[in-house]
Amino acid sequence: MDYKFLKIDEKENGVIVLTISREKTLNSLNTEVLKELSDFFEKIFDDEATSVIVLTGAGKSFVAGADIGEMATLSATEGYDFGKLGMDTLMKIEKGRKPVIAAVNGYALGGGCEIALACDIRLASKNAKFGQPEVGLGIIPGFGGTQRLIRAIGPGYAKEMIFTAKMIDAERAERWGLVNHVYEPEELLDKAIEMANTIAQRAPKAIQYSKSAIESGSQTDIETAMEIERTSFGLLFSTEDQREGMNAFLNKKQAKFSGK
Ligand code: CO8
């Protein structure tokens, strides 16, 4: 599939920078953009050469939400389908086998905040703004925001964001735990790529299993979660990378992981 609204930039070490580029509406998500994202994330996690994906937006916005122009005239069933397309796309990011880092370079509103929430790690520029403005439009977050936001920052702050529909700045987002780090706008992408490169040096299967243990374990009871961790931990002893990592440590060498 050729992408009209996605720019893919392959960096060293299997790091991919994916830029959502629909600048005239501040990268808002219409059906076309969502279908492209869905297609991209359907394929990228199976690409052996890819290690980490950095997701960002073109221009002054990360993603200013779902496309209000498109949503304005949706029927109930079309609204359902649109919500499902967004939710399914974000699920692919969350469940995907490789880490996705959101580099939030500006507005992350509504569906934009929700796509950042589906990513594994969120970094922001000082001028980033986060918000769930949906109740001001007569709807509620519809790409999983009511669920992921409470898990990320707790019900008190999540309800404040959703009920007031007000934006918060990057500094507050960091204080509330919505983003891990805040950087100057001109250094954000480099910092995200630097983190991606660090992750890319680690054992890929160990990254994959820790992501799935965190995702599945956080949605279940503690005993089941511990069993998920034990199983993943045990399975990794069947990998070449476990032997490589431990031998390298014992021989005081740098490990070279093969992903096997
Ligand atoms: N949808 C469509 N167009 C948009 C959107 C959007 N979300 N955001 C911005 N635009 C357009 C503007 O209409 C404008 O177009 P034009 O130049 O033709 O007038 C252009 O982008 C530039 O925007 P502004 O002139 O408004 O730029 P400002 O810098 O003045 O303001 C803001 C930037 C504050 C981001 C402002 O554009 C804004 O408030 N945008 C809307 C943000 C918003 O409410 N987003 C949430 C949408 S709802 C949502 O995401 C729900 C997700 C779940 C859906 C589930 C479906 C079932």
Side-chain angles (χ1 to χ4, degrees):
M1 184 175 184
D2 284 335
Y3 299 126
K4 188 170 157 198
F5 299 112
L6 303 183
K7 294 206 165 74
I8 299 165
D9 190 2
E10 293 177 21
K11 304 285 184 190
E12 290 171 357
N13 303 317
V15 174
I16 292 202
V17 176
L18 177 69
T19 306
I20 300 176
S21 183
R22 191 178 175 233
E23 276 193 64
K24 72 180 167 73
T25 65
L26 307 182
N27 308 322
S28 71
L29 304 170
N30 64 3
T31 298
E32 270 185 283
V33 179
L34 284 171
K35 281 191 172 158
E36 291 192 1
L37 283 168
S38 175
D39 184 78
F40 174 84
F41 284 110
E42 182 68 37
K43 293 171 181 155
I44 199 68
F45 296 118
D46 291 330
D47 176 32
E48 294 282 320
T50 299
S51 58
V52 182
I53 298 112
V54 173
L55 176 64
T56 194
K60 71 170 179 178
S61 181
F62 177 68
V63 169
D67 187 317
I68 300 171
E70 180 174 341
M71 281 190 299
T73 57
L74 294 183
S75 66
T77 54
E78 287 165 345
Y80 178 92
D81 290 345
F82 186 65
K84 184 169 185 322
L85 174 62
M87 274 188 182
D88 290 351
T89 304
L90 271 50
M91 272 296 188
K92 286 182 190 174
I93 298 176
E94 191 171 86
K95 301 274 174 221
R97 296 192 293 164
K98 289 164 186 179
V100 183
I101 300 174
V104 180
N105 54 306
Y107 294 111
L109 304 175
C113 190
E114 291 171 295
I115 199 169
L117 283 164
C119 295
D120 299 294
I121 295 167
R122 285 165 293 285
L123 309 178
S125 63
K126 275 190 175 160
N127 59 344
K129 293 254 189 322
F130 295 81
Q132 296 289 165
E134 286 90 345
V135 299
L137 296 164
I139 55 171
I140 66 169
F143 293 161
T146 60
Q147 303 311 308
R148 290 198 182 94
L149 196 57
I150 51 165
R151 286 166 169 81
I153 62 175
Y157 290 143
K159 285 175 186 169
E160 182 176 332
M161 283 182 75
I162 292 170
F163 296 172
T164 66
K166 279 182 155 182
M167 291 186 223
I168 60 167
D169 62 17
E171 191 196 320
R172 182 169 299 199
E174 186 181 27
R175 224 170 37 241
W176 286 3
L178 185 53
V179 302
N180 290 17
H181 306 284
V182 176
Y183 299 108
E184 294 296 336
E186 56 279 10
E187 52 172 18
L188 172 69
L189 202 54
D190 286 345
K191 291 289 185 185
I193 293 168
E194 190 181 310
M195 182 182 278
N197 274 319
T198 302
I199 296 170
Q201 309 300 314
R202 312 303 181 215
K205 284 260 183 305
I207 300 285
Q208 177 193 328
Y209 282 35
S210 46
K211 176 168 173 175
S212 67
I214 292 164
E215 292 302 336
S216 317
S218 60
Q219 314 290 338
T220 186
D221 62 278
I222 190 75
E223 283 84 10
T224 311
M226 290 301 180
E227 182 53 34
I228 291 169
E229 183 175 295
R230 265 195 304 278
T231 306
S232 305
F233 179 79
L235 264 178
L236 286 164
F237 284 84
S238 67
T239 63
E240 288 175 18
D241 282 348
Q242 174 267 328
R243 283 181 288 285
E244 168 66 14
M246 293 191 184
N247 284 334
F249 175 80
L250 294 173
N251 293 308
K252 303 194 186 306
K253 287 185 180 155
Q254 182 78 30
K256 288 204 177 75
F257 295 116
S258 64
K260 297 201 170 98

